[in-house]
Amino acid sequence: MERMYSSLIFLLFFLCDISLIEGFGFSVELIHRDSPKSPFYIPSETHFERVAKAIRRSINQANHFNKPSFSTKNIESDVLANRGDYLMSYSIGTPPVKILGIADTGSDIIWLQCEPCDPCSPQTSPIFDPSKSTTYKNISCTSDACQSVRDTSCSSEGSQQSCQYRIGYGDGSKSQGDLSLDTLSFSSTKGSAVSFPKTVIGCGTSNTLGNQGPGSGIVGLGNGPVSLITQLGSSIQGKFAYCLAPSLSRTTSPTKLNFGSEALVSGDGTVSTPLFLDKTFYYLTLEAFSVGNKRVEFGSSSSSSGGSGNIIIDSGTTLTLLPSDVYSELESTVASEITLNRVEAPSPSLSLCYEAPSDGNLDVPVITAHFTGADVKLNALNTFFQVSEDTICFTFVPTNQPVSIYGNLAQQNFLVGYDLQKKTLQFKPTDCTNQ
Protein backbone atom coordinates (compact mmCIF):
# COMPACT_ATOMS: atom_id res chain seq x y z
CA MET A 1 0.00 0.00 0.00
CA GLU A 2 1.62 3.33 -0.42
CA ARG A 3 0.90 2.74 2.85
CA MET A 4 -1.00 4.36 4.69
CA TYR A 5 -3.64 2.55 5.54
CA SER A 6 -2.75 0.02 7.46
CA SER A 7 -3.26 -2.38 9.79
CA LEU A 8 -1.19 -3.04 12.77
CA ILE A 9 2.25 -2.77 11.40
CA PHE A 10 5.72 -2.23 12.76
CA LEU A 11 8.28 0.38 11.82
CA LEU A 12 11.80 0.12 10.68
CA PHE A 13 14.19 1.36 13.23
CA PHE A 14 17.61 1.79 11.87
CA LEU A 15 19.41 1.74 8.63
CA CYS A 16 19.65 -1.82 7.67
CA ASP A 17 22.94 -3.44 7.47
CA ILE A 18 23.26 -4.77 4.00
CA SER A 19 25.43 -7.65 3.19
CA LEU A 20 26.48 -7.95 -0.40
CA ILE A 21 26.46 -11.55 -1.57
CA GLU A 22 27.67 -13.14 -4.77
CA GLY A 23 25.15 -12.92 -7.57
CA PHE A 24 24.14 -9.66 -5.93
CA GLY A 25 22.01 -9.84 -2.89
CA PHE A 26 21.57 -7.62 0.13
CA SER A 27 19.41 -7.39 3.23
CA VAL A 28 17.85 -4.49 5.11
CA GLU A 29 16.74 -4.60 8.72
CA LEU A 30 13.03 -4.16 9.45
CA ILE A 31 12.00 -2.71 12.78
CA HIS A 32 8.59 -2.51 14.43
CA ARG A 33 7.36 1.06 14.49
CA ASP A 34 6.44 0.76 18.16
CA SER A 35 9.63 -0.95 19.20
CA PRO A 36 11.63 0.94 21.86
CA LYS A 37 14.44 0.83 19.29
CA SER A 38 12.37 2.87 16.85
CA PRO A 39 13.02 6.62 16.68
CA PHE A 40 9.24 7.03 16.41
CA TYR A 41 8.56 5.23 19.68
CA ILE A 42 6.32 7.29 21.98
CA PRO A 43 6.98 6.25 25.61
CA SER A 44 3.79 7.87 26.88
CA GLU A 45 1.58 5.68 24.67
CA THR A 46 0.33 2.38 26.04
CA HIS A 47 0.67 -0.79 24.03
CA PHE A 48 -3.08 -0.86 23.49
CA GLU A 49 -3.21 2.74 22.27
CA ARG A 50 -0.76 1.72 19.58
CA VAL A 51 -2.92 -1.28 18.72
CA ALA A 52 -5.98 0.96 18.35
CA LYS A 53 -4.14 3.26 15.95
CA ALA A 54 -3.03 0.30 13.85
CA ILE A 55 -6.63 -0.90 13.62
CA ARG A 56 -7.79 2.48 12.33
CA ARG A 57 -5.06 2.54 9.71
CA SER A 58 -6.03 -0.91 8.45
CA ILE A 59 -9.65 0.05 7.93
CA ASN A 60 -8.67 3.25 6.15
CA GLN A 61 -6.37 1.29 3.89
CA ALA A 62 -9.16 -0.31 1.89
CA ASN A 63 -10.44 3.17 1.14
CA HIS A 64 -6.95 4.12 0.03
CA PHE A 65 -6.74 1.24 -2.44
CA ASN A 66 -10.08 2.20 -3.88
CA LYS A 67 -9.26 5.88 -4.42
CA PRO A 68 -8.60 6.92 -8.03
CA SER A 69 -5.91 9.27 -6.73
CA PHE A 70 -3.96 6.39 -5.25
CA SER A 71 -0.97 5.58 -7.30
CA THR A 72 2.27 6.56 -8.38
CA LYS A 73 2.54 4.39 -9.91
CA ASN A 74 21.08 -8.44 -4.31
CA ILE A 75 20.55 -6.70 -0.99
CA GLU A 76 19.48 -7.08 2.64
CA SER A 77 17.83 -4.53 4.89
CA ASP A 78 16.78 -4.55 8.53
CA VAL A 79 13.11 -3.93 9.18
CA LEU A 80 11.54 -2.73 12.42
CA ALA A 81 7.85 -2.83 13.31
CA ASN A 82 6.07 0.41 14.09
CA ARG A 83 2.38 0.67 15.00
CA GLY A 84 1.62 -2.22 12.75
CA ASP A 85 4.02 -0.85 10.13
CA TYR A 86 7.49 -2.07 9.33
CA LEU A 87 10.20 0.53 8.81
CA MET A 88 13.25 0.14 6.64
CA SER A 89 16.30 2.33 6.61
CA TYR A 90 18.17 3.72 3.63
CA SER A 91 20.24 6.78 2.75
CA ILE A 92 19.53 9.42 0.15
CA GLY A 93 21.76 12.02 -1.49
CA THR A 94 25.44 12.93 -1.61
CA PRO A 95 26.60 13.12 1.13
CA PRO A 96 24.14 10.41 2.23
CA VAL A 97 21.39 11.23 4.73
CA LYS A 98 19.76 8.38 6.65
CA ILE A 99 16.00 8.01 6.20
CA LEU A 100 13.39 5.68 7.69
CA GLY A 101 10.38 4.77 5.57
CA ILE A 102 7.49 2.33 5.81
CA ALA A 103 8.19 -0.81 3.76
CA ASP A 104 5.00 -1.11 1.73
CA THR A 105 4.18 -3.66 -0.96
CA GLY A 106 0.94 -1.73 -1.52
CA SER A 107 2.78 1.39 -2.71
CA ASP A 108 4.80 2.02 -5.82
CA ILE A 109 6.78 5.16 -5.09
CA ILE A 110 9.65 6.06 -2.79
CA TRP A 111 8.84 9.35 -1.09
CA LEU A 112 10.25 11.25 1.87
CA GLN A 113 9.79 14.63 3.50
CA CYS A 114 12.01 17.37 2.11
CA GLU A 115 12.96 20.90 3.07
CA PRO A 116 11.47 23.39 2.72
CA CYS A 117 8.08 21.84 3.54
CA ASP A 118 4.82 23.48 4.59
CA PRO A 119 3.18 21.76 6.28
CA CYS A 120 5.68 19.20 7.54
CA SER A 121 4.77 16.11 9.51
CA PRO A 122 6.79 15.70 12.73
CA GLN A 123 9.71 13.30 12.44
CA THR A 124 12.52 12.49 14.83
CA SER A 125 15.39 12.65 12.35
CA PRO A 126 16.32 15.78 10.37
CA ILE A 127 14.23 16.40 7.26
CA PHE A 128 16.17 15.89 4.03
CA ASP A 129 17.41 19.10 2.41
CA PRO A 130 17.88 18.45 -1.33
CA SER A 131 19.88 21.67 -1.79
CA LYS A 132 22.71 20.04 0.16
CA SER A 133 22.91 16.97 -2.11
CA THR A 134 25.25 17.26 -5.10
CA THR A 135 23.43 14.42 -6.90
CA TYR A 136 19.86 15.71 -6.49
CA LYS A 137 18.01 16.76 -9.65
CA ASN A 138 14.38 17.59 -10.39
CA ILE A 139 12.66 15.62 -13.15
CA SER A 140 11.23 17.39 -16.17
CA CYS A 141 7.51 17.25 -16.93
CA THR A 142 8.27 15.75 -20.32
CA SER A 143 10.40 12.90 -18.95
CA ASP A 144 9.32 9.27 -19.22
CA ALA A 145 9.42 8.97 -15.42
CA CYS A 146 6.96 11.83 -14.99
CA GLN A 147 4.66 10.45 -17.67
CA SER A 148 4.70 6.97 -16.09
CA VAL A 149 3.41 8.16 -12.71
CA ARG A 150 -0.25 8.99 -12.20
CA ASP A 151 -1.29 12.15 -10.38
CA THR A 152 1.52 14.34 -11.63
CA SER A 153 1.46 17.92 -12.86
CA CYS A 154 3.87 20.60 -14.02
CA SER A 155 5.23 23.32 -11.79
CA SER A 156 7.06 26.25 -13.37
CA GLU A 157 9.92 27.87 -11.52
CA GLY A 158 11.86 30.23 -13.68
CA SER A 159 12.42 28.67 -17.08
CA GLN A 160 12.28 25.07 -15.84
CA GLN A 161 9.12 22.98 -15.60
CA SER A 162 9.48 20.30 -12.95
CA CYS A 163 7.30 17.26 -12.35
CA GLN A 164 5.08 17.37 -9.26
CA TYR A 165 3.56 14.25 -7.66
CA ARG A 166 0.49 13.96 -5.41
CA ILE A 167 -0.47 11.08 -3.14
CA GLY A 168 -3.60 10.74 -1.01
CA TYR A 169 -4.51 8.09 1.57
CA GLY A 170 -7.71 6.74 3.01
CA ASP A 171 -7.12 8.33 6.42
CA GLY A 172 -6.80 11.82 4.97
CA SER A 173 -3.00 11.77 4.87
CA LYS A 174 -1.35 13.26 1.80
CA SER A 175 1.97 14.22 0.34
CA GLN A 176 2.87 16.47 -2.56
CA GLY A 177 6.19 17.59 -3.94
CA ASP A 178 8.84 17.20 -6.62
CA LEU A 179 9.49 14.00 -8.51
CA SER A 180 13.27 13.90 -8.54
CA LEU A 181 16.45 11.88 -9.02
CA ASP A 182 19.08 11.21 -6.40
CA THR A 183 21.45 8.48 -5.20
CA LEU A 184 19.84 5.89 -2.92
CA SER A 185 22.18 3.84 -0.73
CA PHE A 186 22.09 0.91 1.66
CA SER A 187 24.82 0.22 4.19
CA SER A 188 26.87 -2.95 3.76
CA THR A 189 28.39 -5.37 6.22
CA LYS A 190 31.26 -5.59 3.73
CA GLY A 191 32.25 -2.10 4.82
CA SER A 192 31.10 -0.12 1.79
CA ALA A 193 27.69 1.16 0.80
CA VAL A 194 25.59 -0.30 -2.01
CA SER A 195 24.47 2.70 -4.07
CA PHE A 196 21.93 3.19 -6.84
CA PRO A 197 22.47 6.50 -8.69
CA LYS A 198 19.62 8.40 -10.35
CA THR A 199 16.86 6.69 -8.38
CA VAL A 200 13.42 8.29 -8.84
CA ILE A 201 12.07 9.62 -5.54
CA GLY A 202 9.24 11.85 -4.41
CA CYS A 203 10.57 14.82 -2.44
CA GLY A 204 7.56 15.86 -0.36
CA THR A 205 7.26 19.56 0.44
CA SER A 206 3.61 19.51 1.58
CA ASN A 207 2.87 16.61 3.92
CA THR A 208 -0.05 15.90 6.21
CA LEU A 209 0.05 12.50 7.87
CA GLY A 210 -2.98 11.41 9.89
CA ASN A 211 -3.14 8.03 11.62
CA GLN A 212 0.18 7.05 10.13
CA GLY A 213 1.97 8.95 12.84
CA PRO A 214 5.44 10.43 12.65
CA GLY A 215 7.61 9.08 9.89
CA SER A 216 9.84 9.95 6.98
CA GLY A 217 7.64 8.59 4.22
CA ILE A 218 7.17 5.38 2.24
CA VAL A 219 9.42 2.90 0.47
CA GLY A 220 7.15 1.52 -2.23
CA LEU A 221 7.82 -2.17 -2.89
CA GLY A 222 4.91 -2.55 -5.30
CA ASN A 223 4.91 -3.23 -9.02
CA GLY A 224 4.72 0.34 -10.37
CA PRO A 225 7.31 1.85 -12.72
CA VAL A 226 9.08 3.88 -10.01
CA SER A 227 8.85 1.49 -7.06
CA LEU A 228 12.10 0.42 -5.39
CA ILE A 229 11.66 -3.11 -6.75
CA THR A 230 11.16 -1.97 -10.35
CA GLN A 231 14.04 0.48 -10.19
CA LEU A 232 16.43 -2.13 -8.82
CA GLY A 233 15.39 -4.17 -11.84
CA SER A 234 17.60 -6.94 -13.15
CA SER A 235 20.17 -6.34 -10.40
CA ILE A 236 17.95 -8.28 -7.97
CA GLN A 237 16.51 -10.67 -10.60
CA GLY A 238 13.01 -9.59 -9.63
CA LYS A 239 13.33 -11.28 -6.22
CA PHE A 240 12.72 -10.00 -2.71
CA ALA A 241 11.60 -11.58 0.55
CA TYR A 242 10.78 -10.57 4.09
CA CYS A 243 10.11 -12.17 7.44
CA LEU A 244 7.81 -10.15 9.71
CA ALA A 245 8.41 -10.71 13.41
CA PRO A 246 5.32 -10.69 15.65
CA SER A 247 4.23 -7.10 15.67
CA LEU A 248 2.13 -7.13 18.80
CA SER A 249 4.46 -9.15 20.96
CA ARG A 250 6.36 -6.02 22.01
CA THR A 251 9.50 -7.51 20.53
CA THR A 252 12.58 -5.36 20.00
CA SER A 253 14.16 -7.78 17.54
CA PRO A 254 14.60 -6.53 13.97
CA THR A 255 14.05 -8.84 11.00
CA LYS A 256 15.26 -8.79 7.41
CA LEU A 257 14.09 -7.62 4.01
CA ASN A 258 16.16 -9.54 1.48
CA PHE A 259 16.83 -8.80 -2.19
CA GLY A 260 18.24 -10.74 -5.12
CA SER A 261 20.27 -13.84 -4.36
CA GLU A 262 19.50 -13.42 -0.65
CA ALA A 263 15.75 -13.71 -1.29
CA LEU A 264 15.64 -17.47 -1.90
CA VAL A 265 12.76 -19.15 -0.05
CA SER A 266 12.97 -22.94 0.01
CA GLY A 267 13.20 -25.94 2.30
CA ASP A 268 10.80 -27.86 4.51
CA GLY A 269 7.31 -26.43 4.69
CA THR A 270 7.68 -24.06 1.73
CA VAL A 271 4.59 -23.71 -0.45
CA SER A 272 4.19 -21.71 -3.66
CA THR A 273 1.24 -19.96 -5.30
CA PRO A 274 0.86 -17.93 -8.51
CA LEU A 275 1.51 -14.20 -8.20
CA PHE A 276 -0.41 -11.78 -10.41
CA LEU A 277 1.15 -8.41 -11.10
CA ASP A 278 -1.15 -5.41 -11.28
CA LYS A 279 -0.08 -1.85 -12.13
CA THR A 280 0.77 -1.40 -8.46
CA PHE A 281 -0.39 -4.36 -6.38
CA TYR A 282 0.46 -8.03 -5.99
CA TYR A 283 -2.55 -10.32 -6.20
CA LEU A 284 -3.00 -13.92 -5.05
CA THR A 285 -5.90 -16.28 -5.64
CA LEU A 286 -7.50 -17.29 -2.35
CA GLU A 287 -9.85 -20.21 -2.90
CA ALA A 288 -11.17 -20.80 0.61
CA PHE A 289 -10.52 -20.93 4.34
CA SER A 290 -10.92 -24.05 6.43
CA VAL A 291 -11.50 -24.32 10.15
CA GLY A 292 -11.24 -27.93 11.26
CA ASN A 293 -13.32 -29.89 8.76
CA LYS A 294 -15.44 -26.88 7.79
CA ARG A 295 -14.63 -25.02 4.58
CA VAL A 296 -15.56 -21.41 3.77
CA GLU A 297 -15.35 -20.64 0.06
CA PHE A 298 -13.83 -17.30 -0.84
CA GLY A 299 -15.21 -16.88 -4.35
CA SER A 300 -14.48 -13.80 -6.38
CA SER A 301 -13.59 -10.44 -4.91
CA SER A 302 -11.26 -7.75 -6.09
CA SER A 303 -9.07 -8.69 -9.02
CA SER A 304 -6.05 -7.33 -10.80
CA SER A 305 -6.43 -5.25 -13.95
CA GLY A 306 -5.79 -8.45 -15.88
CA GLY A 307 -8.70 -10.12 -14.13
CA SER A 308 -6.54 -12.64 -12.24
CA GLY A 309 -6.18 -13.04 -8.51
CA ASN A 310 -8.74 -11.95 -5.92
CA ILE A 311 -6.84 -10.62 -2.90
CA ILE A 312 -3.94 -8.17 -2.50
CA ILE A 313 -1.03 -9.20 -0.31
CA ASP A 314 0.12 -6.12 1.56
CA SER A 315 2.94 -5.56 4.04
CA GLY A 316 1.57 -2.10 4.83
CA THR A 317 -1.86 -3.13 6.13
CA THR A 318 -2.19 -4.74 9.54
CA LEU A 319 -5.53 -6.53 9.44
CA THR A 320 -6.92 -8.88 6.79
CA LEU A 321 -9.94 -7.37 5.03
CA LEU A 322 -12.54 -9.71 3.51
CA PRO A 323 -15.83 -9.30 1.62
CA SER A 324 -18.69 -9.02 4.12
CA ASP A 325 -20.37 -12.28 3.10
CA VAL A 326 -17.14 -14.28 3.29
CA TYR A 327 -16.25 -12.69 6.61
CA SER A 328 -19.66 -13.42 8.11
CA GLU A 329 -19.44 -17.12 7.30
CA LEU A 330 -15.84 -17.34 8.48
CA GLU A 331 -16.63 -15.57 11.75
CA SER A 332 -19.51 -17.88 12.60
CA THR A 333 -17.37 -20.92 11.75
CA VAL A 334 -14.49 -19.74 13.93
CA ALA A 335 -16.82 -18.76 16.78
CA SER A 336 -18.39 -22.22 16.82
CA GLU A 337 -14.95 -23.68 17.64
CA ILE A 338 -14.08 -21.33 20.53
CA THR A 339 -15.26 -21.83 24.12
CA LEU A 340 -13.97 -18.54 25.56
CA ASN A 341 -16.38 -15.90 26.86
CA ARG A 342 -17.39 -13.64 24.00
CA VAL A 343 -17.39 -9.91 24.81
CA GLU A 344 -18.38 -6.69 23.10
CA ALA A 345 -15.83 -5.39 20.63
CA PRO A 346 -14.01 -2.27 21.87
CA SER A 347 -13.97 -0.81 18.36
CA PRO A 348 -16.68 -0.70 15.67
CA SER A 349 -14.06 -1.95 13.24
CA LEU A 350 -13.80 -5.25 15.10
CA SER A 351 -16.47 -7.90 15.50
CA LEU A 352 -15.31 -11.15 17.04
CA CYS A 353 -13.80 -10.57 20.49
CA TYR A 354 -13.31 -12.65 23.64
CA GLU A 355 -12.23 -12.31 27.21
CA ALA A 356 -8.48 -12.82 27.27
CA PRO A 357 -7.48 -16.01 29.16
CA SER A 358 -5.80 -15.15 32.46
CA ASP A 359 -3.11 -17.77 31.87
CA GLY A 360 -2.26 -16.37 28.43
CA ASN A 361 -3.06 -19.71 26.78
CA LEU A 362 -5.11 -18.81 23.72
CA ASP A 363 -7.05 -21.88 22.63
CA VAL A 364 -8.33 -20.98 19.16
CA PRO A 365 -8.55 -23.16 16.03
CA VAL A 366 -5.97 -23.19 13.29
CA ILE A 367 -7.32 -21.49 10.18
CA THR A 368 -5.95 -22.69 6.85
CA ALA A 369 -5.88 -20.21 3.97
CA HIS A 370 -6.17 -22.21 0.74
CA PHE A 371 -4.36 -20.30 -1.97
CA THR A 372 -4.02 -21.89 -5.39
CA GLY A 373 -1.42 -24.62 -4.88
CA ALA A 374 -0.55 -23.48 -1.35
CA ASP A 375 -2.21 -24.23 1.97
CA VAL A 376 -1.06 -21.74 4.62
CA LYS A 377 -1.83 -22.63 8.25
CA LEU A 378 -2.52 -19.62 10.43
CA ASN A 379 -2.02 -19.94 14.17
CA ALA A 380 -3.35 -17.78 17.02
CA LEU A 381 -0.48 -15.34 16.42
CA ASN A 382 -1.87 -14.64 12.94
CA THR A 383 -5.58 -14.64 13.70
CA PHE A 384 -6.10 -13.03 17.14
CA PHE A 385 -4.47 -10.11 18.92
CA GLN A 386 -4.86 -8.49 22.31
CA VAL A 387 -6.53 -5.09 22.06
CA SER A 388 -6.80 -4.41 25.82
CA GLU A 389 -5.68 -5.99 29.08
CA ASP A 390 -8.70 -8.29 29.10
CA THR A 391 -9.83 -8.53 25.45
CA ILE A 392 -8.61 -10.38 22.36
CA CYS A 393 -10.10 -9.91 18.90
CA PHE A 394 -10.11 -11.58 15.50
CA THR A 395 -7.58 -10.00 13.10
CA PHE A 396 -9.87 -10.49 10.09
CA VAL A 397 -12.52 -7.83 9.46
CA PRO A 398 -15.24 -7.24 6.86
CA THR A 399 -15.06 -4.52 4.23
CA ASN A 400 -17.63 -3.17 1.81
CA GLN A 401 -14.92 -1.86 -0.47
CA PRO A 402 -14.29 -3.74 -3.75
CA VAL A 403 -10.87 -4.85 -2.57
CA SER A 404 -9.69 -7.63 -0.26
CA ILE A 405 -6.36 -7.42 1.54
CA TYR A 406 -4.18 -10.10 3.12
CA GLY A 407 -2.55 -8.08 5.88
CA ASN A 408 0.74 -8.32 7.70
CA LEU A 409 -0.55 -9.94 10.89
CA ALA A 410 -1.49 -12.98 8.79
CA GLN A 411 2.07 -12.97 7.39
CA GLN A 412 3.87 -12.94 10.75
CA ASN A 413 6.37 -15.75 11.30
CA PHE A 414 6.38 -16.63 7.60
CA LEU A 415 9.26 -16.08 5.23
CA VAL A 416 7.43 -14.56 2.27
CA GLY A 417 9.28 -14.57 -1.05
CA TYR A 418 8.32 -12.74 -4.25
CA ASP A 419 9.68 -13.88 -7.61
CA LEU A 420 8.43 -11.40 -10.18
CA GLN A 421 10.13 -13.16 -13.06
CA LYS A 422 8.53 -16.53 -12.38
CA LYS A 423 5.39 -14.81 -11.03
CA THR A 424 5.24 -16.94 -7.92
CA LEU A 425 5.04 -16.23 -4.20
CA GLN A 426 6.39 -18.56 -1.52
CA PHE A 427 5.35 -18.96 2.11
CA LYS A 428 7.64 -20.75 4.57
CA PRO A 429 6.60 -21.00 8.24
CA THR A 430 9.47 -20.00 10.52
CA ASP A 431 10.41 -18.03 13.62
CA CYS A 432 11.13 -14.58 12.22
CA THR A 433 12.79 -13.40 15.43
CA ASN A 434 15.64 -15.82 14.70
CA GLN A 435 16.17 -14.77 11.09
Side-chain angles (χ1 to χ4, degrees):
M1 13 208 68
E2 274 177 25
R3 262 294 56 1
M4 305 222 79
Y5 141 175
S6 296
S7 20
L8 302 166
I9 313 171
F10 298 69
L11 274 186
L12 285 185
F13 157 56
F14 46 90
L15 188 55
C16 319
D17 281 343
I18 298 171
S19 30
L20 194 59
I21 313 297
E22 64 175 322
F24 197 62
F26 65 90
S27 301
V28 180
E29 191 171 68
L30 292 171
I31 301 174
H32 190 293
R33 181 159 91 178
D34 289 328
S35 165
K37 288 186 176 182
S38 169
F40 306 140
Y41 178 72
I42 302 176
S44 61
E45 280 189 339
T46 69
H47 171 71
F48 301 115
E49 286 174 332
R50 297 173 190 127
V51 169
K53 288 182 178 180
I55 292 171
R56 289 196 295 270
R57 282 195 306 274
S58 288
I59 301 305
N60 287 329
Q61 192 64 9
N63 300 327
H64 162 65
F65 282 136
N66 195 42
K67 290 173 68 69
S69 63
F70 168 74
S71 79
T72 48
K73 357 250 138 264
N74 300 319
I75 310 169
E76 170 187 286
S77 171
D78 286 342
V79 177
L80 286 182
N82 171 54
R83 292 186 187 170
D85 297 318
Y86 288 87
L87 300 177
M88 63 179 289
S89 176
Y90 63 99
S91 292
I92 196 73
T94 306
V97 176
K98 291 183 180 181
I99 301 292
L100 285 175
I102 295 173
D104 187 5
T105 60
S107 299
D108 56 359
I109 188 171
I110 306 163
W111 74 264
L112 60 149
Q113 295 200 107
C114 290
E115 294 283 10
C117 53
D118 183 21
C120 301
S121 180
Q123 68 178 59
T124 305
S125 57
I127 295 176
F128 177 63
D129 186 347
S131 68
K132 295 181 179 179
S133 172
T134 61
T135 48
Y136 178 87
K137 181 180 180 181
N138 285 340
I139 290 177
S140 166
C141 284
T142 58
S143 67
D144 290 341
C146 186
Q147 299 300 316
S148 69
V149 177
R150 289 176 293 169
D151 298 326
T152 57
S153 61
C154 288
S155 174
S156 299
E157 289 196 12
S159 60
Q160 182 178 5
Q161 285 193 323
S162 61
C163 183
Q164 295 271 299
Y165 77 93
R166 295 181 301 277
I167 297 173
Y169 303 100
D171 64 353
S173 300
K174 57 187 177 181
S175 177
Q176 181 174 339
D178 295 314
L179 200 65
S180 311
L181 298 175
D182 209 335
T183 297
L184 185 147
S185 306
F186 296 96
S187 63
S188 170
T189 55
K190 297 288 185 179
S192 59
V194 181
S195 298
F196 300 93
K198 298 182 179 180
T199 299
V200 178
I201 62 168
C203 208
T205 53
S206 177
N207 312 295
T208 303
L209 305 183
N211 289 331
Q212 184 191 18
S216 303
I218 298 289
V219 179
L221 303 176
N223 191 48
V226 295
S227 76
L228 175 63
I229 302 303
T230 301
Q231 293 194 76
L232 293 182
S234 59
S235 65
I236 61 168
Q237 305 92 46
K239 297 180 178 65
F240 69 99
Y242 52 73
C243 201
L244 302 181
S247 60
L248 301 181
S249 64
R250 311 179 199 190
T251 179
T252 60
S253 300
T255 55
K256 299 292 184 182
L257 173 60
N258 302 315
F259 298 87
S261 61
E262 283 294 281
L264 179 64
V265 179
S266 62
D268 293 344
T270 301
V271 294
S272 180
T273 188
L275 181 67
F276 300 97
L277 310 181
D278 190 68
K279 293 179 180 178
T280 296
F281 310 118
Y282 302 115
Y283 279 84
L284 307 177
T285 299
L286 179 59
E287 298 175 348
F289 293 104
S290 63
V291 184
N293 60 0
K294 300 176 183 177
R295 185 177 173 97
V296 177
E297 298 296 332
F298 188 79
S300 62
S301 179
S302 54
S303 63
S304 65
S305 57
S308 300
N310 58 14
I311 189 167
I312 293 167
I313 181 168
D314 186 10
S315 67
T317 296
T318 303
L319 304 180
T320 291
L321 283 69
L322 303 175
S324 296
D325 57 341
V326 176
Y327 174 81
S328 179
E329 185 177 356
L330 179 62
E331 179 190 290
S332 62
T333 303
V334 171
S336 69
E337 299 289 327
I338 297 178
T339 59
L340 298 173
N341 294 325
R342 190 163 178 174
V343 298
E344 183 178 352
S347 164
S349 302
L350 303 173
S351 179
L352 184 61
C353 298
Y354 294 94
E355 184 179 312
S358 58
D359 61 1
N361 184 21
L362 188 55
D363 186 16
V364 298
V366 171
I367 299 176
T368 301
H370 299 285
F371 295 100
T372 299
D375 291 343
V376 178
K377 293 186 177 182
L378 305 176
N379 299 310
L381 170 72
N382 308 110
T383 58
F384 280 85
F385 63 117
Q386 194 163 358
V387 298
S388 69
E389 290 291 352
D390 56 3
T391 305
I392 60 168
C393 293
F394 198 30
T395 62
F396 292 21
V397 296
T399 178
N400 292 319
Q401 297 293 336
V403 61
S404 297
I405 301 171
Y406 193 72
N408 62 30
L409 288 181
Q411 300 174 55
Q412 290 179 160
N413 274 357
F414 284 92
L415 182 57
V416 183
Y418 297 69
D419 189 327
L420 307 190
Q421 292 183 353
K422 294 182 178 179
K423 296 183 179 179
T424 59
L425 183 135
Q426 291 77 40
F427 291 100
K428 180 182 180 180
T430 188
D431 181 356
C432 291
T433 60
N434 291 328
Q435 293 296 305

